Amino acid sequence: MATKKKTELDLQLNKDQLKASIVRHLRSTLGTSEQKASPQAWWKATAAAVNEQVYERLTRTQQTHFNKDTRAIHYFSAEFLMGRLTSNNLHNLSLYSVCEEALRELGLELTDLCEQEPDMALGNGGLGRLAACFIDSLATLNYPAVGYGLHYEHGLFRQEIQDGRQIERPDSWREYGNPWEICRPESVQEIPLYGYVETVFGDKGGLKKVWHAGRKIKGVPWDIPVVGFGGHTVNILRLWESRASEFFDWDVFNAGGYVDSQAEKAQAETISKVLYPNDETDAGKELRLIQQYFFCACSIKDIMRRYKRVHGSDFSNFAAQIAIQLNDTHPTVAIPELMRVLVDEEDLNWDAAWTICYQVFSYTNHTLLPEALEKWSVNLFEKVLPRHLEIIYEINARFLGDLVEAKWPGDDVIKAKLSIIEEGEVRKVRMGNLCVIGSAKVNGVAEIHSKLVKEDLFPEFAALWPDKMCNVTNGVTPRRWLLACNPELAALYDEVVGKEWPLQLDKLRGVVKFADDKAFQQQFMTIKRHNKEKLVKVIKAETGIEVDANAIFDIQIKRLHEYKRQQLNLIHIMALYRRLLANPDYDMHPRVFIFGSKAAPGYKLAKDIIYAINKLAERVNNDTRIQGKLKVVFMPNYRVSLAEKMIPAADVSEQISTAGYEASGTGNMKLALNGAITIGTLDGANIEIVEEAGAEHCAIFGLNVDEVKALKARGYNPYDFYYANSELKAVLDWFDTDYFTPGKPGELSSIKRSLLEGGDPYLTLADFAAYSEAHQLVDSWYRDPALWAKKAIINSATMGKFNSDRSIQDYVERIWKLERCKVG
Ligand code: GL7
């Protein structure tokens, strides 16, 4: 105890020390002075001062893990949507208020300095943000873990809105330097690509495969320290940047082809240039396959290097030491890569190598959408990764020949379905099948989703391996998504349930007994009010739109996709507008509908929906006839740091996907945790949110998964709903006029067409009437302030299950079998 205290004291800075450190860094690291320093320089000096603490703990963590030779989880993900790190790191080191005071004495506001930090937007949406929450939880729970991914030079595009339309601009998150990353040239790797495979005689007799690469790429690792809450464990997120390797550079250069060598160099460096902006779809592009292979191969080499440092070439401990989680199918190529390294480079026989592989990997499925299950053409694979294609054929032959044949003798239909290779005009490698075959465990991300993975997506695999499929419901880190983003509510919870809730979110259940308490309700709603007032200012600054904090703030924030049904929200707002125009006394509490959403650049209809929301906003917000009862706001460039401002201010959370399509959702958890009431379908994690909060405290509407399936099976005809509901018909017909786009009729017609001629694949019209009723119910609840406060409090207080620490603990128990490792 005495020694523990000493180490903590050693590390804990006081205000004066931190202040001195910031000023010292301002001068010695940033080369400026208190008089001249820009806010940007002050932010970097602050980060440098914090890093002194971070690095000390990082070193201790690495030494402890090395000395104890611990088993570790390696989280492979093409995306880590980290957002900003300053406030997060300060909170996790318990330095936030110390830093706030130190800066105040220097005449600076910490919250202003935090605004200097660009978001690290190395992800598209939920999948990437989940990876970021998970590495936070792993460090917090003191598990040895490494995140592995790509060091994209440009993260997700910056969205500008011009005349209502989305314009994509490059994101340059590290243009002026990023204080949180450390380059590690000592751990550079070289990665082969292209070329051909030769069969030779091995040293020990027998045949051996040698892959002669056509090109080699250098992988440079950048480490982002991941500070656990409490500051004990600091793990790393290791991101690989591609560079031209000397291997080909010099060859071409010496042959006199300097310009060609420059072209190859540019191509090599293109690999980690930019994040693909497609959410839930696969571009099928060569560069994307190369990106995936590049970061997986670098990471496997890195794991090997570390393993061999201790165990040499004895691989008998490999599976006991190493667990690798594949975040979706994007890193699947790691499976044949590990086989290649073990068989071709380490000379293990196939069976020994496969036994290791099979135990090391597990796979998380994040979506049922067919367009997101990656398939690569065999030709492309053969060109880029010729040896891997051979290995995949071998895995497949053994799987079909042994396991499938034993279970379903002579059944070629099942074989065709389970094969890693899809036959057809263009033969394809099915990465989903490879993942399932090569993994010890396969999990979905919410109860209903995991059930559908088992029953609809991979039923034969589930029959073959009944224990392989499991569920781990997603979660979010309460440090970022309550403690840091909603400081007033966090302080209230500290008072009422004690300060342990950021680690034990279930403790918030202790708040439920105050849900009817008038004084508590008032405190809770005053905080909500303050958060709304702050958002009012942000909205004004970002869009020029004036909104009233007395209105209901109804928020839909997520990627734009037809299955998420922003178009349902849109047509409902149009219906409300019509009701108000038809009857100025139409009885409704004033509402502000707020959207935040990026569309994939090539997703035309999604972009049209953004345009329609903006055109509707222009019309509605400037129409004095409706007396300010309705406002529509589209917040440009939705990103993590904007989410942190919007979520605490939400009254209503829109979670309205077609049942069966949203694997989990995580925004739904963040909004409810901050006291928003969910309007939602019985989809993804909404189902579990309702279970926790109680059905009476959520506004659930629409078709459930079985009803969606049944309606589709019967044959859904959107015209049935169009003709049967005169309001719906009028709203859809409005899209063909120039009411929202003066002088340009038809500019919004694509939306109507998709909902009628297009067959409305996501059943928007089928759910419209129920959705409209749910809104009326929410409106009636809001007019009773005590009732509303109670529901909001209960929602927030019952979200303990959705702590990402709980998700990680589930992964540990069901899949990873890790031990915690206390760092002194
Ligand atoms: C997603 C799911 O759509 C989303 O529902 C889930 O919460 C998230 C994390 O598990 O994963 N799948 C996916 O491909 N993307 C997601 O956000 C991009």
Side-chain angles (χ1 to χ4, degrees):
M1 189 63 208
T3 50
K4 182 170 176 266
K5 246 199 171 130
K6 189 164 174 289
T7 47
E8 275 174 10
L9 280 178
D10 273 356
L11 290 171
Q12 199 55 54
L13 276 187
N14 67 34
K15 179 197 65 188
D16 292 328
Q17 289 166 321
L18 184 59
K19 193 169 138 189
S21 176
I22 294 171
V23 171
R24 184 160 37 80
H25 278 291
L26 192 71
R27 294 167 180 229
S28 65
T29 310
L30 277 300
T32 180
S33 65
E34 291 99 304
Q35 290 71 37
K36 284 207 328 227
S38 63
Q40 166 82 202
W42 278 112
W43 162 60
K44 284 187 180 162
T46 305
V50 173
N51 269 337
E52 286 188 3
Q53 300 293 303
V54 174
Y55 295 167
E56 183 60 37
R57 289 156 155 98
L58 174 63
T59 306
R60 284 184 195 210
T61 305
Q62 293 190 330
Q63 270 163 5
T64 309
H65 291 174
F66 180 75
N67 292 339
K68 295 194 181 162
D69 192 23
T70 52
R71 173 174 169 80
I73 176 68
H74 304 82
Y75 199 84
F76 280 32
S77 179
E79 304 189 4
F80 286 91
L81 188 42
M82 302 294 283
R84 293 172 172 164
L85 295 177
T86 308
S87 130
N88 183 73
N89 287 351
L90 284 168
H91 276 292
N92 286 8
L93 293 165
S94 314
L95 279 176
Y96 191 88
S97 35
V98 177
C99 187
E100 207 168 28
E101 285 172 37
L103 287 169
R104 228 165 248 161
E105 289 187 5
L106 291 163
L108 297 153
E109 269 309 313
L110 176 55
T111 46
D112 294 343
L113 289 197
C114 288
E115 291 296 316
Q116 293 298 315
E117 180 171 6
D119 278 38
M120 221 178 137
L122 310 187
N124 272 288
L127 176 147
R129 183 55 231 173
L130 185 79
C133 284
F134 279 3
I135 56 176
D136 174 282
S137 284
L138 280 161
T140 297
L141 298 177
N142 298 302
Y143 286 114
V146 186
Y148 277 115
L150 275 155
H151 188 264
Y152 300 107
E153 187 179 327
H154 301 285
L156 186 62
F157 65 85
R158 189 162 51 78
Q159 178 192 55
E160 280 178 16
I161 301 296
Q162 282 180 16
D163 186 29
R165 291 198 191 275
Q166 166 177 305
I167 308 286
E168 301 92 26
R169 299 270 178 236
D171 159 76
S172 307
W173 63 282
R174 56 198 298 283
E175 193 175 5
Y176 304 113
N178 179 299
W180 303 116
E181 53 180 8
I182 313 165
C183 188
R184 301 284 193 200
E186 66 275 22
S187 302
V188 160
Q189 299 291 357
E190 208 173 48
I191 299 304
L193 283 173
Y194 303 102
Y196 64 98
V197 180
E198 188 187 6
T199 308
V200 299
F201 293 107
D203 299 340
K204 301 182 200 156
L207 297 175
K208 210 176 142 43
K209 298 284 191 168
V210 179
W211 174 20
H212 297 282
R215 185 176 292 186
K216 285 188 183 167
I217 310 287
K218 202 157 74 176
V220 180
W222 292 84
D223 288 353
I224 319 284
V226 181
V227 183
F229 184 69
H232 296 284
T233 295
V234 176
N235 285 326
I236 58 163
L237 167 61
R238 176 159 282 192
L239 302 176
W240 298 98
E241 180 193 358
S242 64
R243 297 261 183 91
S245 153
E246 282 91 49
F247 169 84
F248 64 86
D249 228 0
W250 284 108
D251 273 5
V252 185
F253 185 81
N254 291 338
Y258 177 74
V259 175
D260 289 347
S261 88
Q262 286 304 307
E264 288 210 358
K265 180 168 184 285
Q267 222 184 339
E269 296 183 351
T270 296
I271 294 173
S272 61
K273 254 282 178 271
V274 58
L275 166 77
Y276 274 92
N278 303 307
D279 183 82
E280 317 232 10
T281 50
D282 160 43
K285 294 276 164 39
E286 179 167 334
L287 181 61
R288 192 168 151 106
L289 177 62
I290 294 175
Q291 282 189 337
Q292 296 180 350
Y293 177 66
F294 168 73
F295 96 83
C296 288
C298 287
S299 309
I300 296 271
K301 280 213 162 79
D302 203 47
I303 291 170
M304 277 285 169
R305 179 184 54 84
R306 228 176 291 119
Y307 177 84
K308 289 177 83 170
R309 203 167 54 183
V310 179
H311 301 272
S313 287
D314 170 9
F315 287 94
S316 56
N317 282 312
F318 195 81
Q321 293 294 96
I322 310 292
I324 299 178
Q325 191 67 29
L326 304 173
N327 195 30
D328 217 275
T329 55
H330 317 144
T332 313
V333 68
I335 298 173
E337 172 65 5
L338 181 59
M339 283 303 285
R340 186 188 70 80
V341 171
L342 292 175
V343 173
D344 295 0
E345 293 180 0
E346 302 295 340
D347 277 333
L348 267 65
N349 68 46
W350 183 277
D351 290 327
W354 184 248
T355 308
I356 291 173
C357 251
Y358 187 83
Q359 294 176 67
V360 163
F361 290 104
S362 287
Y363 154 57
T364 305
N365 174 282
H366 292 270
T367 179
L368 302 168
L369 292 189
E371 60 268 36
L373 284 179
E374 292 181 297
K375 290 177 193 170
W376 297 105
S377 89
V378 165
N379 288 341
L380 174 61
F381 230 99
E382 193 162 27
K383 176 172 136 200
V384 179
L385 301 169
R387 178 60 184 134
H388 296 77
L389 185 63
E390 290 184 355
I391 291 172
I392 289 169
Y393 282 152
E394 180 78 28
I395 295 172
N396 200 36
R398 287 167 184 252
F399 166 68
L400 296 176
D402 301 345
L403 289 174
V404 181
E405 179 57 27
K407 176 108 183 159
W408 294 282
D411 190 336
D412 289 342
V413 175
I414 285 214
K415 281 205 189 104
K417 195 171 170 206
L418 300 191
S419 172
I420 302 172
I421 306 298
E422 182 179 275
E423 300 296 337
E425 216 168 291
V426 180
R427 298 177 73 229
K428 290 190 170 158
V429 183
R430 296 168 170 152
M431 301 309 258
N433 288 17
L434 176 55
C435 265
V436 179
I437 294 164
S439 293
K441 292 276 180 183
V442 174
N443 75 285
V445 291
E447 289 289 349
I448 180 87
H449 169 66
S450 297
K451 180 173 175 283
L452 297 172
V453 167
K454 226 194 233 176
E455 293 175 1
D456 298 355
L457 186 64
F458 297 131
E460 296 83 3
F461 286 118
L464 204 51
W465 293 296
D467 297 332
K468 191 181 278 214
M469 311 283 182
C470 64
N471 172 248
V472 178
T473 297
N474 283 168
V476 302
T477 168
R479 275 77 63 180
R480 183 178 293 262
W481 297 110
L482 182 52
L483 180 64
C485 75
N486 199 342
E488 284 190 62
L489 187 58
L492 178 63
Y493 285 163
D494 281 354
E495 263 175 52
V496 180
V497 298
K499 290 183 186 246
E500 278 83 52
W501 63 264
L503 286 168
Q504 298 162 33
L505 199 59
D506 294 321
K507 291 243 150 104
L508 294 190
R509 285 249 169 207
V511 174
V512 171
K513 60 175 175 289
F514 300 103
D516 282 308
D517 179 311
K518 289 280 163 284
F520 186 80
Q521 288 186 344
Q522 195 155 34
Q523 282 178 296
F524 189 93
M525 293 314 292
T526 303
I527 292 167
K528 180 62 78 183
R529 172 80 196 197
H530 289 165
N531 292 333
K532 288 169 76 174
E533 282 162 0
K534 282 195 221 159
L535 185 60
V536 167
K537 295 204 183 97
V538 178
I539 291 174
K540 175 77 185 162
E542 295 296 320
T543 67
I545 300 170
E546 309 229 0
V547 299
D548 181 352
N550 289 312
I552 302 173
F553 280 19
D554 183 313
I555 298 193
Q556 187 170 22
I557 37 181
K558 51 186 82 249
R559 284 297 287 258
L560 217 139
H561 202 293
E562 287 163 89
Y563 87 75
K564 295 178 188 280
R565 298 200 294 192
Q566 280 92 352
Q567 71 277 16
L568 177 58
N569 194 344
L570 170 73
I571 60 178
H572 172 253
I573 301 169
M574 289 164 69
L576 286 180
Y577 183 38
R578 268 190 94 255
R579 289 175 208 169
L580 284 167
L581 289 180
N583 172 13
D585 296 326
Y586 178 73
D587 194 21
M588 65 175 271
H589 190 91
R591 271 268 189 144
V592 184
F593 288 95
I594 308 170
F595 293 84
S597 194
K598 288 179 181 175
Y603 190 170
K604 171 82 171 46
L605 183 59
K607 292 175 116 174
D608 287 351
I609 293 170
I610 290 179
Y611 183 61
I613 293 168
N614 279 308
K615 289 290 137 182
L616 173 66
E618 271 173 34
R619 192 79 165 89
V620 165
N621 298 342
N622 298 307
D623 191 335
T624 50
R625 294 172 295 178
I626 58 171
Q627 307 152 47
K629 278 189 181 169
L630 197 56
K631 287 272 164 103
V632 181
V633 176
F634 186 92
M635 292 292 276
N637 201 28
Y638 178 62
R639 61 197 185 283
V640 173
S641 59
L642 189 53
E644 288 164 4
K645 296 173 184 146
M646 295 173 79
I647 287 169
D651 293 308
V652 176
S653 160
E654 297 271 352
Q655 307 301 334
I656 59 178
S657 53
T658 317
Y661 286 89
E662 189 68 273
S664 164
T666 44
N668 47 1
M669 301 167 183
K670 297 166 195 167
L671 282 152
L673 179 61
N674 283 277
I677 287 166
T678 304
I679 256 198
T681 48
L682 287 175
D683 195 17
N686 294 354
I687 297 178
E688 290 160 75
I689 288 175
V690 173
E691 269 167 26
E692 297 298 305
E696 68 277 28
H697 302 305
C698 304
I700 295 303
F701 72 94
L703 303 171
N704 64 24
V705 169
D706 291 336
E707 289 162 347
V708 165
K709 283 186 189 169
L711 178 54
K712 289 204 161 200
R714 273 203 312 277
Y716 168 60
N717 183 357
Y719 285 96
D720 295 346
F721 293 88
Y722 174 74
Y723 288 116
N725 183 332
S726 58
E727 180 178 61
L728 184 56
K729 181 172 183 303
V731 167
L732 291 183
D733 292 343
W734 227 352
F735 282 116
D736 289 333
T737 71
D738 74 344
Y739 200 80
F740 302 99
T741 54
K744 297 172 181 167
E747 266 203 328
L748 306 180
S749 292
S750 64
I751 299 169
K752 177 182 176 186
R753 273 201 306 276
S754 75
L755 296 173
L756 292 171
E757 295 136 63
D760 185 19
Y762 298 101
L763 311 185
T764 314
L765 304 194
D767 272 345
F768 174 76
Y771 179 59
S772 174
E773 274 170 37
H775 269 289
Q776 275 170 340
L777 185 64
V778 163
D779 183 87
S780 74
W781 288 346
Y782 199 83
R783 290 150 189 256
D784 180 343
L787 182 75
W788 186 270
K790 176 180 177 174
K791 288 184 190 299
I793 292 165
I794 288 177
N795 268 283
S796 174
T798 58
M799 290 302 109
K801 173 174 178 183
F802 305 105
N803 185 350
S804 48
D805 298 354
R806 189 271 316 143
S807 307
I808 288 302
Q809 202 48 42
D810 287 352
Y811 275 100
V812 165
E813 284 158 23
R814 295 171 199 176
I815 304 175
W816 300 335
K817 314 289 179 203
L818 281 183
E819 306 276 349
R820 292 188 195 213
C821 176
K822 196 84 189 162
V823 176

